[in-house]
């Protein structure tokens, strides 16, 4: 005679399949004065935790700059892409350059600085820098939560 089937089998498999990865987006709001300061000296706007894998970088112009302004994001001292010229309000997705790929997965014990460089001297305008990444441990491995182990 066959043993009874467990009704929990499909559910326990489903719950254990999640490896605990979380996607996080950090936002950094900059005024025109802060962008002008970034034109004089690259400005550190935040940090990506060790082991995180960067999935996207975007510039969201909330108030259009009065004059031509370019922005460039750098993570771990490597340019994400060439500078983006802001000509309209809205979101600009930054396509990562091939040179950024090696540091896109920030493996190591050190958090990576996010730096913004700008050109332009507009007295008006505002931008939000959005950096999305997958949270992992410093080795770059996905680590399940204690409830999933």
């Amino acid at each position: 005679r066959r043993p009874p089937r467990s009704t929990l089998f499909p559910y326990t498999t489903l719950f254990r399949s999640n490896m605990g990865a979380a996607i996080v987006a950090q936002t950094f709001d900059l005024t025109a004065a802060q962008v002008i300061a970034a034109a004089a000296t690259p400005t550190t706007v935040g940090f990506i935790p060790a082991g995180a894998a960067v999935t996207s970088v975007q510039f969201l112009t909330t108030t259009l700059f009065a004059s031509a302004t370019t922005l460039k994001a750098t993570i771990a001292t490597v340019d994400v892409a060439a500078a983006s010229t802001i000509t309209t309000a809205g979101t600009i997705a930054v396509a990562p350059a091939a040179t950024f790929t090696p540091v896109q997965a920030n493996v190591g014990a050190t958090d990576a600085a996010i730096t913004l460089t700008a050109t332009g001297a507009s007295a008006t305008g505002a931008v939000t820098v959005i950096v999305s990444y997958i949270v992992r441990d410093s080795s770059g491995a996905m680590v399940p939560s204690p409830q999933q182990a």
Side-chain angles (χ1 to χ4, degrees), residues 81-103:
S84 299
T85 302
I86 310 297
T87 56
T88 60
T91 303
I92 297 175
V94 178
T99 53
F100 180 67
T101 305
V103 297

Side-chain angles (χ1 to χ4, degrees), residues 96-114:
T99 53
F100 180 67
T101 305
V103 297
Q104 198 160 359
N106 182 28
V107 177
T110 307
D111 294 348
I114 304 166

